Amino acid sequence: MDRYNVRTDLALEQRERFVSDQIEIPGVAVEETYDDMCEVRVTTVRIETENGAAVMGKPVGNYITLEAPKMAEADESYHREISGKLMEVLEGCLPEKEEGQSILIIGLGNRNVTPDALGPLVVEHLDITRHLVKEYGKYALGGEADRLVSAVVPGVMGQTGMETVEIVRGIVEETEPDFVIAIDALAARSVRRLNRTIQIANTGIAPGSGVGNHRNAITKETVGVPVIAIGVPTVVDAATIVDDSIEEYVAKCRDEGMRENKEHLIPPYLYGMFVTPKDIDETMERTSYTISEALNALAAGQAHI
């Protein structure tokens, strides 16, 4: 099992490692569709049993991945299509809709570290409506406030001295939202998925897990309401890139009758080092806006963006 331990937050990539070796995982189902119109591949990984969860290293639940190869490009019309697709997927993940449903959106991450700033940037672009609807009613916004939206950027433990889940739990107890949506940057295994993939999970999220900085998870069990997680991979582990290169080298050595232990070939200083694209500043702005547009449309009850 050691060869399956290269870090990734994407359930799709976790599953792909076993598929490449033709290994079936009991309790894990996969469905895939492709939208020709917006060129988006949607893959749903359903972890249905505790055995499947143990093998995958993720909780039981649904993990939906949107792969959009052009998402890193500055194409406004394409990003609008991605926002619409994301809104559709989110609508299918949310609890049954009720009048005056309230959403608490959590922007996880560190605003001062660009690859980790996705959550805070999304919150900056949101239409916050809870206070207005509470004060004046939904018609103060032209009747477009289908759901009440509140949001917070809790920062990271080094800034606040508190676990993020402690902050979120306190806010949930005071404001009583129907569910929480948490946005965070993730780590991928494949460079081609950086800033081109969105994962939606109904299992909550563990802030910092992508870079090995594990914090207490934000889940229904820890905060008291359902938690939907939205994540975009913005970094890849440097050791993962080297691992792929060494894998090819080791395979070649085997073909030539030699043997090598690849784990001794990865320099120790690469573990804990992460790589991100050079245009990450621009990409984060575009991606955060794309996600915020989906959330704004979801809150307003729009059928289309």
Side-chain angles (χ1 to χ4, degrees):
M1 297 296 292
D2 290 343
R3 71 181 302 265
Y4 299 103
N5 290 332
V6 176
R7 181 176 294 129
T8 178
D9 285 321
L10 299 178
L12 173 61
E13 290 187 332
Q14 193 79 347
R15 172 65 180 141
E16 284 176 344
R17 298 180 195 176
F18 295 93
V19 171
S20 65
D21 284 348
Q22 298 181 338
I23 296 174
E24 289 297 325
I25 307 174
V28 177
V30 180
E31 296 177 6
E32 184 180 292
T33 61
Y34 184 76
D35 189 325
D36 293 312
M37 293 295 292
C38 55
E39 301 179 53
V40 175
R41 187 176 307 280
V42 180
T43 306
T44 302
V45 177
R46 291 191 175 90
I47 302 179
E48 300 169 337
T49 66
E50 292 300 332
N51 176 69
V55 175
M56 291 283 288
K58 294 184 178 298
V60 171
N62 297 333
Y63 301 82
I64 305 171
T65 306
L66 277 65
E67 295 180 87
K70 297 180 182 178
M71 199 170 83
E73 299 176 10
D75 184 337
E76 288 187 14
S77 61
Y78 185 73
H79 277 260
R80 194 174 299 113
E81 291 178 351
I82 300 302
S83 294
K85 196 71 178 177
L86 175 58
M87 186 192 70
E88 290 176 16
V89 172
L90 286 171
E91 193 73 71
C93 294
L94 299 183
E96 186 175 345
K97 190 174 178 182
E98 299 176 1
E99 182 70 23
Q101 200 172 52
S102 177
I103 311 174
L104 172 61
I105 298 176
I106 308 294
L108 299 172
N110 188 339
R111 182 66 178 83
N112 299 317
V113 180
T114 305
D116 194 33
L118 178 66
L121 287 172
V122 169
V123 170
E124 284 183 11
H125 299 309
L126 290 175
D127 295 334
I128 307 299
T129 58
R130 179 179 179 272
H131 60 305
L132 296 174
V133 174
K134 288 283 187 182
E135 185 72 21
Y136 304 109
K138 69 176 183 178
Y139 293 103
L141 301 172
E144 295 182 356
D146 204 46
R147 293 182 171 101
L148 284 66
V149 176
S150 56
V152 66
V153 177
V156 295
M157 195 174 189
Q159 297 169 326
T160 65
M162 294 178 282
E163 287 278 3
T164 303
V165 68
E166 295 173 332
I167 299 172
V168 175
R169 187 188 299 124
I171 295 172
V172 168
E173 290 175 357
E174 288 294 322
T175 63
E176 299 181 341
D178 293 293
F179 56 91
V180 169
I181 295 179
I183 301 107
D184 200 8
L186 307 178
R189 185 185 192 283
S190 171
V191 174
R192 67 183 175 86
R193 286 197 170 103
L194 291 183
N195 304 308
R196 295 175 176 85
T197 304
I198 303 175
Q199 177 176 270
I200 303 97
N202 65 355
T203 58
I205 193 167
S209 61
V211 294
N213 185 21
H214 296 276
R215 303 258 63 90
N216 291 338
I218 302 171
T219 65
K220 182 178 181 180
E221 290 70 30
T222 59
V223 301
V225 295
V227 179
I228 307 297
I230 301 175
V232 174
T234 61
V235 297
V236 63
D237 195 338
T240 297
I241 299 174
V242 176
D243 180 82
D244 288 342
S245 300
I246 292 175
E247 190 71 41
E248 293 182 15
Y249 167 70
V250 171
K252 184 177 180 181
C253 288
R254 290 196 191 103
D255 292 341
E256 296 175 358
M258 297 182 290
R259 292 188 178 182
E260 293 287 351
N261 185 344
K262 70 172 185 176
E263 295 178 359
H264 294 306
L265 298 176
I266 301 178
Y269 58 78
L270 285 181
Y271 290 100
M273 181 178 291
F274 292 84
V275 179
T276 195
K278 65 179 181 180
D279 61 346
I280 189 65
D281 299 79
E282 297 174 7
T283 303
M284 281 295 91
E285 285 292 340
R286 285 195 299 270
T287 304
S288 63
Y289 187 75
T290 299
I291 294 173
S292 68
E293 284 294 280
L295 293 173
N296 288 336
L298 185 74
Q302 297 177 11
H304 302 284
I305 293 180

